[in-house]
Protein backbone atom coordinates (compact mmCIF):
# COMPACT_ATOMS: atom_id res chain seq x y z
CA UNK A 1 0.00 0.00 0.00
CA UNK A 2 2.71 2.50 0.98
CA UNK A 3 4.75 1.78 -2.15
CA UNK A 4 1.75 2.09 -4.46
CA UNK A 5 0.81 5.36 -2.76
CA UNK A 6 4.28 6.75 -3.33
CA UNK A 7 4.18 5.70 -6.99
CA UNK A 8 0.80 7.31 -7.57
CA UNK A 9 2.01 10.42 -5.73
CA UNK A 10 4.93 10.83 -8.11
CA UNK A 11 2.60 10.65 -11.08
CA UNK A 12 0.01 12.98 -9.57
CA UNK A 13 2.68 15.45 -8.56
CA UNK A 14 3.84 15.67 -12.17
CA UNK A 15 0.64 16.45 -14.07
CA UNK A 16 -2.19 19.02 -13.73
CA UNK A 17 -4.80 16.85 -12.02
CA UNK A 18 -8.18 18.60 -11.53
CA UNK A 19 -7.82 18.46 -7.76
CA UNK A 20 -4.79 20.72 -7.99
CA UNK A 21 -6.98 23.79 -8.39
CA UNK A 22 -7.86 23.91 -4.67
CA UNK A 23 -4.20 23.17 -3.87
CA UNK A 24 -3.03 26.13 -5.92
CA UNK A 25 -5.78 28.30 -4.44
CA UNK A 26 -4.62 27.42 -0.91
CA UNK A 27 -1.08 28.56 -1.68
CA UNK A 28 -2.27 31.78 -3.28
CA UNK A 29 -4.58 32.50 -0.34
CA UNK A 30 -1.92 32.13 2.36
CA UNK A 31 0.75 33.94 0.36
CA UNK A 32 -1.62 36.83 -0.39
CA UNK A 33 -2.67 37.17 3.26
CA UNK A 34 0.95 37.06 4.45
CA UNK A 35 2.05 39.69 1.94
CA UNK A 36 -0.95 41.84 2.86
CA UNK A 37 0.00 41.80 6.53
CA UNK A 38 3.65 42.57 5.78
CA UNK A 39 2.64 45.55 3.65
CA UNK A 40 0.07 46.66 6.23
CA UNK A 41 2.55 46.49 9.09
CA UNK A 42 5.10 48.47 7.05
CA UNK A 43 2.42 51.12 6.52
CA UNK A 44 1.62 51.19 10.23
CA UNK A 45 -1.71 49.37 9.96
CA UNK A 46 -2.56 47.16 12.96
CA UNK A 47 -5.67 45.08 13.54
CA UNK A 48 -7.15 45.30 17.00
CA UNK A 49 -7.87 42.13 18.94
CA UNK A 50 -11.62 42.50 18.42
CA UNK A 51 -11.18 42.64 14.63
CA UNK A 52 -8.82 39.67 14.73
CA UNK A 53 -11.38 37.73 16.76
CA UNK A 54 -14.13 38.54 14.24
CA UNK A 55 -11.96 37.22 11.40
CA UNK A 56 -11.23 34.05 13.38
CA UNK A 57 -14.89 33.39 14.07
CA UNK A 58 -15.84 33.95 10.45
CA UNK A 59 -13.12 31.56 9.26
CA UNK A 60 -13.59 28.81 11.83
CA UNK A 61 -17.38 28.86 12.18
CA UNK A 62 -18.82 30.10 8.88
CA UNK A 63 -16.18 28.64 6.54
CA UNK A 64 -14.57 25.67 8.23
CA UNK A 65 -17.19 23.99 10.42
CA UNK A 66 -19.24 22.58 7.50
CA UNK A 67 -16.15 20.95 6.02
CA UNK A 68 -15.26 19.21 9.28
CA UNK A 69 -18.68 17.58 9.38
CA UNK A 70 -18.43 16.65 5.72
CA UNK A 71 -15.15 14.79 6.26
CA UNK A 72 -16.78 12.43 8.74
CA UNK A 73 -19.88 11.99 6.60
CA UNK A 74 -17.85 11.33 3.48
CA UNK A 75 -15.75 8.74 5.31
CA UNK A 76 -18.64 6.67 6.68
CA UNK A 77 -21.30 7.05 3.97
CA UNK A 78 -19.77 4.28 1.84
CA UNK A 79 -18.87 1.95 4.73
CA UNK A 80 -20.62 -1.05 6.21
CA UNK A 81 -23.35 -0.63 8.82
CA UNK A 82 -21.31 -2.27 11.61
CA UNK A 83 -18.45 0.13 10.97
CA UNK A 84 -20.79 3.12 10.94
CA UNK A 85 -22.25 2.33 14.37
CA UNK A 86 -18.82 1.62 15.88
CA UNK A 87 -17.54 4.88 14.43
CA UNK A 88 -20.35 6.90 16.01
CA UNK A 89 -19.95 5.21 19.42
CA UNK A 90 -16.19 5.80 19.48
CA UNK A 91 -16.71 9.40 18.40
CA UNK A 92 -19.17 10.14 21.21
CA UNK A 93 -16.98 8.40 23.78
CA UNK A 94 -13.95 10.50 22.90
CA UNK A 95 -16.00 13.70 22.94
CA UNK A 96 -17.26 12.85 26.43
CA UNK A 97 -13.75 11.98 27.60
CA UNK A 98 -12.25 15.22 26.28
CA UNK A 99 -14.94 17.37 27.90
CA UNK A 100 -14.29 15.56 31.18
CA UNK A 101 -10.55 16.20 30.88
CA UNK A 102 -11.11 19.91 30.32
CA UNK A 103 -13.50 20.06 33.28
CA UNK A 104 -11.12 18.26 35.66
CA UNK A 105 -7.69 19.33 34.35
CA UNK A 106 -8.04 22.24 31.92
CA UNK A 107 -4.29 22.80 31.49
CA UNK A 108 -3.91 19.19 30.37
CA UNK A 109 -6.95 19.70 28.15
CA UNK A 110 -5.28 22.74 26.58
CA UNK A 111 -2.12 20.72 25.91
CA UNK A 112 -4.20 18.02 24.23
CA UNK A 113 -6.06 20.65 22.18
CA UNK A 114 -2.72 21.97 20.89
CA UNK A 115 -1.65 18.42 20.03
CA UNK A 116 -4.92 17.84 18.15
CA UNK A 117 -4.30 20.92 15.99
CA UNK A 118 -0.79 19.69 15.21
CA UNK A 119 -1.96 16.18 14.29
CA UNK A 120 -4.85 17.42 12.17
CA UNK A 121 -2.77 19.88 10.19
CA UNK A 122 0.22 17.56 9.90
CA UNK A 123 -1.25 14.19 8.97
CA UNK A 124 -4.02 15.77 6.92
CA UNK A 125 -1.36 17.62 4.95
CA UNK A 126 0.75 14.49 4.58
CA UNK A 127 -2.09 12.68 2.81
CA UNK A 128 -2.61 15.64 0.51
CA UNK A 129 1.02 15.23 -0.53
CA UNK A 130 0.42 11.53 -1.13
CA UNK A 131 -2.56 12.22 -3.37
CA UNK A 132 -1.64 15.42 -5.11
CA UNK A 133 1.72 17.10 -4.82
CA UNK A 134 3.92 14.01 -4.43
CA UNK A 135 5.68 12.41 -1.46
CA UNK A 136 8.34 10.31 -3.16
CA UNK A 137 11.08 12.05 -1.17
CA UNK A 138 9.59 10.70 2.07
CA UNK A 139 11.09 7.22 1.86
CA UNK A 140 10.69 5.92 5.42
CA UNK A 141 7.95 5.95 8.07
CA UNK A 142 10.18 8.16 10.24
CA UNK A 143 10.40 10.72 7.45
CA UNK A 144 6.63 10.68 7.03
CA UNK A 145 6.03 11.25 10.74
CA UNK A 146 8.65 14.01 10.70
CA UNK A 147 6.90 15.68 7.77
CA UNK A 148 3.57 15.56 9.60
CA UNK A 149 5.12 16.91 12.80
CA UNK A 150 6.71 19.86 10.99
CA UNK A 151 3.78 20.76 8.75
CA UNK A 152 1.36 20.45 11.67
CA UNK A 153 3.70 21.83 14.31
CA UNK A 154 4.06 25.10 12.44
CA UNK A 155 0.45 25.91 13.39
CA UNK A 156 1.37 26.13 17.07
CA UNK A 157 5.17 26.36 17.37
CA UNK A 158 5.67 29.42 15.16
CA UNK A 159 2.93 31.52 16.84
CA UNK A 160 4.30 30.62 20.27
CA UNK A 161 7.61 32.16 19.19
CA UNK A 162 6.34 35.00 16.99
CA UNK A 163 3.25 36.04 18.96
CA UNK A 164 3.92 34.96 22.56
CA UNK A 165 1.77 37.59 24.26
CA UNK A 166 -1.36 36.83 22.26
CA UNK A 167 -0.79 33.08 22.47
CA UNK A 168 -0.42 33.23 26.24
CA UNK A 169 -3.46 35.50 26.61
CA UNK A 170 -5.78 33.21 24.72
CA UNK A 171 -4.36 30.13 26.41
CA UNK A 172 -5.26 31.74 29.73
CA UNK A 173 -8.76 32.56 28.48
CA UNK A 174 -9.27 28.94 27.42
CA UNK A 175 -8.17 27.55 30.78
CA UNK A 176 -10.22 30.20 32.63
CA UNK A 177 -13.38 28.81 31.05
CA UNK A 178 -13.08 25.85 33.42
CA UNK A 179 -10.65 27.05 36.08
CA UNK A 180 -10.17 30.83 36.44
CA UNK A 181 -6.48 31.55 36.97
CA UNK A 182 -5.57 27.94 36.28
CA UNK A 183 -2.72 28.81 33.92
CA UNK A 184 -1.00 31.26 36.27
CA UNK A 185 1.21 28.67 38.06
CA UNK A 186 2.67 27.69 34.67
CA UNK A 187 3.22 31.22 33.33
CA UNK A 188 6.63 31.48 35.00
CA UNK A 189 7.94 28.75 32.69
CA UNK A 190 6.93 30.40 29.41
CA UNK A 191 10.19 32.35 29.15
CA UNK A 192 12.01 29.00 29.20
CA UNK A 193 9.69 26.92 27.05
CA UNK A 194 9.31 29.52 24.28
CA UNK A 195 12.96 29.44 23.06
CA UNK A 196 13.11 25.67 23.55
CA UNK A 197 10.03 25.23 21.36
CA UNK A 198 11.50 27.59 18.76
CA UNK A 199 14.87 25.83 18.64
CA UNK A 200 13.27 22.39 18.66
CA UNK A 201 10.87 23.22 15.83
CA UNK A 202 13.64 24.84 13.77
CA UNK A 203 15.77 21.71 14.16
CA UNK A 204 12.89 19.46 13.09
CA UNK A 205 12.12 21.67 10.09
CA UNK A 206 15.76 21.63 8.94
CA UNK A 207 15.92 17.85 9.41
CA UNK A 208 12.69 17.36 7.44
CA UNK A 209 13.73 19.54 4.51
CA UNK A 210 17.33 18.31 4.57
CA UNK A 211 16.46 14.60 4.60
CA UNK A 212 13.93 15.20 1.86
CA UNK A 213 16.60 16.83 -0.28
CA UNK A 214 19.05 13.98 0.26
CA UNK A 215 16.38 11.41 -0.60
CA UNK A 216 14.61 13.28 -3.40
CA UNK A 217 13.38 11.04 -6.19
CA UNK A 218 13.88 13.10 -9.33
CA UNK A 219 10.40 14.64 -9.30
CA UNK A 220 9.38 18.03 -7.96
CA UNK A 221 7.89 16.56 -4.78
CA UNK A 222 10.74 17.70 -2.51
CA UNK A 223 10.77 21.20 -3.99
CA UNK A 224 7.01 21.57 -3.52
CA UNK A 225 7.22 20.29 0.05
CA UNK A 226 10.09 22.63 0.94
CA UNK A 227 8.34 25.63 -0.61
CA UNK A 228 5.05 24.89 1.15
CA UNK A 229 6.84 24.40 4.47
CA UNK A 230 8.54 27.78 4.03
CA UNK A 231 5.20 29.39 3.12
CA UNK A 232 3.54 28.00 6.26
CA UNK A 233 6.37 29.21 8.49
CA UNK A 234 6.26 32.68 6.93
CA UNK A 235 2.46 32.85 7.18
CA UNK A 236 2.34 32.05 10.89
CA UNK A 237 5.32 34.32 11.58
CA UNK A 238 3.86 37.49 10.02
CA UNK A 239 0.09 37.05 10.43
CA UNK A 240 -1.26 37.59 13.97
CA UNK A 241 -1.96 34.21 15.53
CA UNK A 242 -5.71 34.69 15.99
CA UNK A 243 -6.16 35.59 12.32
CA UNK A 244 -3.62 33.01 11.15
CA UNK A 245 -5.30 30.07 12.88
CA UNK A 246 -8.76 31.29 11.93
CA UNK A 247 -7.90 31.40 8.22
CA UNK A 248 -5.41 28.51 8.03
CA UNK A 249 -8.00 25.78 8.57
CA UNK A 250 -10.59 26.92 5.99
CA UNK A 251 -8.17 28.31 3.39
CA UNK A 252 -5.36 25.75 3.69
CA UNK A 253 -6.40 22.58 5.49
CA UNK A 254 -9.98 22.27 4.22
CA UNK A 255 -9.30 23.58 0.72
CA UNK A 256 -6.48 21.08 0.25
CA UNK A 257 -8.63 18.22 1.52
CA UNK A 258 -11.14 19.15 -1.16
CA UNK A 259 -8.32 18.79 -3.69
CA UNK A 260 -7.37 15.39 -2.29
CA UNK A 261 -10.96 14.18 -2.39
CA UNK A 262 -11.49 15.31 -5.98
CA UNK A 263 -8.37 13.42 -6.99
CA UNK A 264 -9.28 10.09 -5.37
CA UNK A 265 -13.09 10.19 -5.60
CA UNK A 266 -13.39 7.68 -8.44
CA UNK A 267 -11.13 5.17 -6.65
CA UNK A 268 -13.03 4.96 -3.34
CA UNK A 269 -14.54 1.46 -2.88
CA UNK A 270 -18.21 1.07 -2.01
CA UNK A 271 -19.04 -1.09 1.03
CA UNK A 272 -22.69 -0.26 1.58
CA UNK A 273 -24.19 1.28 4.68
CA UNK A 274 -27.32 2.71 6.18
CA UNK A 275 -27.32 5.80 3.96
CA UNK A 276 -26.29 4.19 0.68
CA UNK A 277 -29.82 3.37 -0.62
CA UNK A 278 -30.91 6.96 0.01
CA UNK A 279 -27.84 8.59 -1.51
CA UNK A 280 -28.04 6.37 -4.60
CA UNK A 281 -31.76 6.99 -5.10
CA UNK A 282 -32.97 8.27 -8.47
CA UNK A 283 -35.33 10.62 -6.67
CA UNK A 284 -33.61 13.98 -6.04
CA UNK A 285 -36.03 14.66 -3.18
CA UNK A 286 -34.78 11.59 -1.31
CA UNK A 287 -31.17 12.66 -1.79
CA UNK A 288 -31.95 16.22 -0.68
CA UNK A 289 -33.82 15.04 2.42
CA UNK A 290 -30.99 12.65 3.30
CA UNK A 291 -28.40 15.42 2.99
CA UNK A 292 -30.63 17.69 5.07
CA UNK A 293 -31.02 15.02 7.74
CA UNK A 294 -27.25 14.49 7.94
CA UNK A 295 -26.75 18.26 8.25
CA UNK A 296 -29.29 18.45 11.07
CA UNK A 297 -27.70 15.48 12.86
CA UNK A 298 -24.30 17.15 12.66
CA UNK A 299 -25.73 20.43 13.93
CA UNK A 300 -27.35 18.67 16.87
CA UNK A 301 -24.05 16.95 17.74
CA UNK A 302 -22.18 20.26 17.61
CA UNK A 303 -24.86 21.98 19.68
CA UNK A 304 -24.63 19.13 22.19
CA UNK A 305 -20.89 19.70 22.62
CA UNK A 306 -21.36 23.46 22.98
CA UNK A 307 -24.23 23.01 25.45
CA UNK A 308 -22.23 20.57 27.56
CA UNK A 309 -19.27 22.94 27.74
CA UNK A 310 -21.60 25.76 28.79
CA UNK A 311 -23.03 23.49 31.48
CA UNK A 312 -19.68 22.54 33.02
CA UNK A 313 -17.87 25.86 32.40
CA UNK A 314 -17.08 28.08 35.35
CA UNK A 315 -16.72 31.16 33.16
CA UNK A 316 -17.88 30.55 29.53
CA UNK A 317 -15.95 33.50 28.05
CA UNK A 318 -12.88 33.00 30.23
CA UNK A 319 -13.10 36.52 31.63
CA UNK A 320 -12.40 38.02 28.19
CA UNK A 321 -14.36 40.64 26.22
CA UNK A 322 -17.15 39.24 24.06
CA UNK A 323 -15.45 38.44 20.76
CA UNK A 324 -12.07 37.30 22.20
CA UNK A 325 -14.06 35.26 24.72
CA UNK A 326 -16.01 33.64 21.90
CA UNK A 327 -12.72 32.80 20.18
CA UNK A 328 -11.52 31.06 23.35
CA UNK A 329 -14.83 29.26 23.79
CA UNK A 330 -14.99 28.13 20.16
CA UNK A 331 -11.35 27.03 20.23
CA UNK A 332 -12.22 24.72 23.11
CA UNK A 333 -15.37 23.49 21.35
CA UNK A 334 -13.73 22.81 18.01
CA UNK A 335 -10.75 21.04 19.60
CA UNK A 336 -13.16 18.71 21.43
CA UNK A 337 -14.97 18.02 18.16
CA UNK A 338 -11.66 17.58 16.33
CA UNK A 339 -10.14 15.02 18.72
CA UNK A 340 -12.34 12.13 17.55
CA UNK A 341 -12.17 13.67 14.08
CA UNK A 342 -8.46 12.87 14.08
CA UNK A 343 -8.30 9.80 16.33
CA UNK A 344 -11.42 7.92 15.21
CA UNK A 345 -11.44 9.31 11.69
CA UNK A 346 -7.84 8.40 10.93
CA UNK A 347 -5.69 6.62 13.52
CA UNK A 348 -8.41 4.15 14.60
CA UNK A 349 -9.63 3.74 11.03
CA UNK A 350 -6.60 1.98 9.60
CA UNK A 351 -8.45 0.72 6.54
CA UNK A 352 -9.28 4.11 5.07
CA UNK A 353 -9.85 7.09 7.34
CA UNK A 354 -10.89 10.66 6.64
CA UNK A 355 -7.68 11.36 4.70
CA UNK A 356 -7.95 8.25 2.52
CA UNK A 357 -5.62 7.87 -0.45
CA UNK A 358 -5.95 4.62 -2.49
Amino acid sequence: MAQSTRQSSVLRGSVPWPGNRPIVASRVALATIAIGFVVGQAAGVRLGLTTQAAIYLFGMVALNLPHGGYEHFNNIRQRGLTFQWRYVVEYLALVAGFITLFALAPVAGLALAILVAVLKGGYGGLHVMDAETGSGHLRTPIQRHLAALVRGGVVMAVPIVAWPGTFETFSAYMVNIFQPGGLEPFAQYFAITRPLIGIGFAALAVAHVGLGYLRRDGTRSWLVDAAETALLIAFFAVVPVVVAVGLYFPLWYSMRQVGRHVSIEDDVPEQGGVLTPFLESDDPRVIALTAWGVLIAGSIATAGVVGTILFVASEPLGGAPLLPGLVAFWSISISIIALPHVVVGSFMDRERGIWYVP
Side-chain angles (χ1 to χ4, degrees), residues 20-32 228 231 250-253 255-256:
N20 273 341
R21 292 177 182 175
I23 305 298
V24 172
S26 69
R27 298 169 185 153
V28 172
L30 260 62
T32 301
E228 289 183 346
L231 172 60
L251 298 183
W252 182 268
Y253 172 85
M255 195 175 293
R256 292 167 71 84

Side-chain angles (χ1 to χ4, degrees), residues 198-221:
I199 294 170
F201 177 78
L204 291 174
V206 169
H208 163 58
V209 174
L211 280 173
Y213 176 79
L214 294 175
R215 296 176 177 179
R216 63 195 187 281
D217 60 351
T219 70
R220 64 188 180 97
S221 69

Side-chain angles (χ1 to χ4, degrees), residues 27-46:
R27 298 169 185 153
V28 172
L30 260 62
T32 301
I33 294 168
I35 292 171
F37 270 91
V38 170
V39 172
Q41 289 168 7
V45 178
R46 300 288 188 273

